[in-house]
Amino acid sequence: MIIPKSKEEIELMRESALIVSKTLGMLAKEVKPGVTTLHLDKLAEEFIRDHEAVPAFLGLYDFPNSLCMSPNAQVVHGIPNEKPLEDGDIISIDCGTIKNGFYGDHAYTFEVGEVNEETKKLLQVTKESLYEGIRQFKIGNRVGDVGFAIQQHAENHGYGVVRELVGHGLGKTMHEDPEMPNYGKRGRGKKFVEGMVVAIEPMINQGTKRIKQLRDGWTILTQDGKPSAHFEHDVALVDGSPQLLSTFDYIYESLGIKSEEENEFKKV
């Protein structure tokens, strides 16, 4: 069952989402060769708690850390460890918080040092597919419209769209209805309603769409060992149109990047 949020609740959710955004912005300066993902995880937990929030992933379904850290061929749900990042790596950092009883949850795939052009293209197209999906999150559309837009953009570039892992509704629990696949058919699935909040999160592989899981019970990898990218935003349906609750602006500020990609989805 979809749980619409009032405008007051959406503003509380924006607070939760923005703590995630600020955490990712802080981490952007720290992601570099030689740094361990466990070190980044500790920095994030301290930052989140300093902002009067709780790390949402820590203990969720028994997950052991505050961040999901997934480098290179890891798609999602990687567990932080002591292995240093290397020049040319990419790493998806997925972060969640709880504040005011509501969850924030989004992700960004970072470049580590100098990344090759083929991998840069994967990241760019995956992020583009996120915004293609968000544009379809509007009154009159359905879940399949978002999935179709993401799938079409990614597959037009020859990439594999992961099927087994999906976006989701968001609110007082981490995973609410509806599930938001990154593939689908136009006009199919649950109808969007005013006030709903979802996490849209394309997981796109450079090669095959097929995945496998490590014995740790968490880490998901591409079956062919090629890189995977993951970008995620929290989006509310306000006055019939998509409005971002999260932002990558703090990341871009840290990295000295100028971007207007989010302007069409920001609160007026």
Side-chain angles (χ1 to χ4, degrees), residues 151-163:
Q151 179 183 8
Q152 184 182 51
H153 189 73
E155 291 183 348
N156 281 349
H157 287 84
Y159 297 139
V161 179
V162 174
R163 300 298 202 271

Side-chain angles (χ1 to χ4, degrees), residues 144-174:
D145 294 296
V146 171
F148 176 84
I150 293 170
Q151 179 183 8
Q152 184 182 51
H153 189 73
E155 291 183 348
N156 281 349
H157 287 84
Y159 297 139
V161 179
V162 174
R163 300 298 202 271
E164 295 87 345
L165 302 155
V166 299
H168 50 91
L170 192 67
K172 290 187 175 180
T173 58
M174 173 64 78

Side-chain angles (χ1 to χ4, degrees), residues 61-121:
Y61 312 126
D62 295 324
F63 188 75
N65 294 88
S66 297
L67 299 175
C68 293
M69 307 282 281
S70 308
N72 302 321
Q74 293 186 16
V75 181
V76 286
H77 302 163
I79 298 174
N81 57 49
E82 293 285 9
K83 182 181 179 181
L85 296 173
E86 298 182 5
D87 187 62
D89 285 346
I90 57 172
I91 181 148
S92 163
I93 302 183
D94 195 351
C95 179
T97 64
I98 309 170
K99 188 170 184 179
N100 303 314
F102 287 98
Y103 281 80
D105 166 33
H106 54 282
Y108 191 91
T109 301
F110 293 88
E111 299 177 16
V112 183
E114 293 298 320
V115 173
N116 66 54
E117 291 302 319
E118 189 178 7
T119 304
K120 283 178 181 285
K121 182 184 176 184

Side-chain angles (χ1 to χ4, degrees), residues 222-261:
T222 60
Q223 201 171 85
D224 59 8
K226 292 184 178 180
S228 182
H230 175 214
F231 291 88
E232 177 180 15
H233 265 314
D234 298 342
V235 194
L237 193 48
V238 179
D239 298 327
S241 298
Q243 186 180 107
L244 287 183
L245 304 184
S246 54
T247 180
F248 295 151
D249 283 352
Y250 296 104
I251 295 171
Y252 296 151
E253 183 179 347
S254 291
L255 298 178
I257 297 171
K258 292 185 178 180
S259 173
E260 298 181 353
E261 68 189 21

